[in-house]
Amino acid sequence: MLARCGCAEEREERAVVLDTEVAIIGAGAAGLSLAHRLSRTAPGTRTPSVVLVDAPPGPTRPPRRTWCFWEAGEGRFDAAVTAAWRHLRVRPPSGRPVDGDIAPLRYKMIRSDDFEHLVAHDLASSRVVRRLEATAETVEDVPGGALVLLRHADGRTRSLRARWVFDSRPPGSLPAARTTLLQHFHGWFVRTARPVFDPRTADLMDFRTPQPADGLSFGYVLPVGRREALVEYTEFSRRPLTADGYTSAVRQYTEEVLRLGELRVLATETGVIPMTDAVIPRRVGASVFRIGAAGGATRPSTGYTFAGIQRQTGAVAAALRQGRTPVPPPAHSARSRAMDAVLLRALDSGRADGPALFSRLFTHVPMRRLLRFLDGGTRLHEDLTIGLHAPIGPMLRSALELPALPRRPFDGP
């Protein structure tokens, strides 16, 4: 009898169905950005009801991280910006550094805790967005929409029925590609005993790091004061390092290259970003879409994602308000993705010397124009001019062989 009662209770819990027009799965940068855009009513447009499904504390919740991007003037999330710079620097393996004034652009850094706090504050006063802490176990198309099976931290399950579902969770595996590299990094937020940083200038790429046998590496320094900065070691390669390997690399960079002296590590961050020419699907069902990095918002050649997320979620929000099918658009143009595929192949094949290539680009192309290029904001003639400063032979050979290369599943972690 007790067993029968337990089954009846379970069936009753599973029968609980919540209804909404829009379900957003995942409360990382993409999920929060889309929810934020839909949280306010706009005159003359319809405002859909939204449920934001946030994973409970644990391994499925995104770790703390830092997002960087560049834009002109004031931005939507400026209240969460930790620091911003109009001067950037690139350091070749040897020789003089390249400094650039990127005005009217600003290179901005947002820490995920500050971003989440800002968005949570705005969502708390929204009449259309509801937050729900649960794990999304399955998502399936049903007539007229999609059904999401949710499991709460206490084990209870229920279903969420939505007209449209936007899933921002990382996929279980990467699609087949001709080239896939990993951008993997480990960083320290440090406070030094003496003033050693210039808070007016960020070091975008410092190639004075020891270069791996395959791929490339560089340092990255974002100062927020004379004695505080985020200092990172980054690699583009096929395999991540061990935990000890990252610690050793950052220590070598801070002690032997930057010569920071005595310092205290306030916090750390580690990440792995796929850099791939895979075709990443943005629509995975009649009513189910992927957004953010899971929906191709990452720029393959750089790993930058935040700006692509804003373009993508802005377009989705506009479509929803206008009653159109809200298919997320590509975050980067077909021309940008084609150029990225050539670059990734040239780097992965070893034909192009990564530090020399990037150093040459930043030396010969105005930094503001190069940032516009990296964000897909340049015209075709500008792209061709920039391309003339890349190694022509290796890039041309890589471009010619790409059509014949098979797309294979990624065999890495």
Side-chain angles (χ1 to χ4, degrees):
M1 176 67 89
L2 288 176
R4 288 181 181 176
C5 288
C7 291
E9 289 173 1
E10 183 177 350
R11 284 196 299 272
E12 183 179 350
E13 288 174 354
R14 286 182 179 273
V16 175
V17 178
L18 302 175
D19 282 285
T20 186
E21 289 181 76
V22 174
I24 303 171
I25 302 175
L32 289 174
S33 294
L34 181 55
H36 191 260
R37 291 181 181 278
L38 295 172
S39 63
R40 295 187 179 92
T41 58
T45 62
R46 60 187 306 276
T47 303
S49 59
V50 179
V51 171
L52 172 63
V53 180
D54 191 0
T60 57
R61 180 169 286 190
R64 294 177 179 176
R65 61 190 67 189
T66 300
W67 300 304
C68 290
F69 59 101
W70 50 89
E71 63 182 350
E74 296 182 356
R76 183 181 187 89
F77 302 112
D78 275 1
V81 169
T82 303
W85 303 267
R86 60 173 284 183
H87 294 97
L88 299 180
R89 181 166 50 217
V90 172
R91 294 183 182 272
S94 61
R96 298 178 59 183
V98 180
D99 293 274
D101 185 337
I102 63 171
L105 300 177
R106 292 291 187 276
Y107 190 81
K108 299 181 179 182
M109 175 175 72
I110 291 182
R111 300 185 70 176
S112 59
D113 284 357
D114 297 325
F115 180 75
E116 291 166 9
H117 178 76
L118 172 66
V119 174
H121 177 270
D122 291 347
L123 294 185
S125 60
S126 173
R127 294 176 297 174
V128 297
V129 178
R130 174 183 176 185
R131 298 191 73 161
L132 191 63
E133 190 173 278
T135 300
E137 296 202 328
T138 60
V139 182
E140 60 177 323
D141 279 307
V142 296
L147 198 64
V148 184
L149 177 62
L150 303 174
R151 183 173 296 277
H152 295 271
D154 61 6
R156 291 181 301 113
T157 60
R158 58 174 157 176
S159 296
L160 173 64
R161 184 167 50 210
R163 176 66 187 92
W164 308 109
V165 173
F166 298 91
D167 194 344
S168 66
R169 298 171 299 173
S173 60
L174 293 173
R178 294 167 297 192
T179 309
T180 297
L181 295 175
L182 300 178
Q183 179 180 157
H184 49 102
F185 55 88
H186 182 67
W188 291 352
F189 287 90
V190 302
R191 178 178 293 137
T192 59
R194 57 189 177 87
V196 294
F197 299 113
D198 177 3
R200 299 168 300 177
T201 303
D203 282 285
L204 198 62
M205 287 179 151
D206 183 348
F207 291 111
R208 295 177 298 170
T209 53
Q211 295 301 311
D214 298 305
L216 63 94
S217 74
F218 57 90
Y220 182 51
V221 183
L222 300 182
V224 297
R226 295 285 294 167
R227 296 173 55 226
E228 293 188 2
L230 168 61
V231 181
E232 284 191 352
Y233 172 83
T234 301
E235 274 194 23
F236 293 179
S237 58
R238 293 188 180 187
R239 296 288 184 275
L241 306 181
T242 63
D244 288 343
Y246 286 120
T247 299
S248 176
V250 180
R251 179 173 291 116
Q252 188 272 342
Y253 182 56
T254 58
E255 293 179 357
E256 299 180 23
V257 178
L258 297 180
R259 301 183 184 276
L260 298 183
E262 182 182 348
L263 59 82
R264 183 156 62 97
V265 179
L266 306 177
T268 65
E269 71 171 23
T270 303
V272 179
I273 302 171
M275 304 171 68
T276 176
D277 69 352
V279 178
I280 299 179
R282 302 182 308 281
R283 188 169 195 169
V284 293
S287 297
V288 184
F289 309 98
R290 287 180 177 155
I291 57 172
T298 301
R299 181 72 193 260
S301 61
T302 65
Y304 284 101
T305 305
F306 195 82
I309 284 174
Q310 301 316 312
R311 289 192 291 271
Q312 198 175 66
T313 56
V316 167
L320 287 167
R321 293 186 184 282
Q322 295 163 13
R324 296 184 283 109
T325 303
V327 180
H332 309 286
S333 70
R335 188 169 80 243
S336 295
R337 299 195 304 273
M339 291 186 295
D340 287 354
V342 174
L343 175 62
L344 290 176
R345 180 60 186 168
L347 292 174
D348 188 45
S349 65
R351 295 189 191 108
D353 180 316
L357 185 155
F358 284 108
S359 297
R360 181 175 175 81
L361 287 177
F362 279 98
T363 298
H364 294 281
V365 180
M367 201 167 288
R368 182 171 60 251
R369 184 186 304 167
L370 195 53
L371 291 182
R372 287 177 45 238
F373 169 76
L374 294 176
D375 213 23
T378 46
R379 299 179 182 274
L380 177 58
H381 72 276
E382 293 177 296
D383 294 347
L384 294 174
T385 300
I386 292 171
L388 292 176
H389 297 293
I392 301 299
M395 304 300 277
L396 182 59
R397 182 178 173 187
S398 298
L400 292 175
E401 76 175 0
L402 275 176
L405 292 177
R407 293 184 180 272
R408 295 190 175 94
F410 181 58
D411 61 356

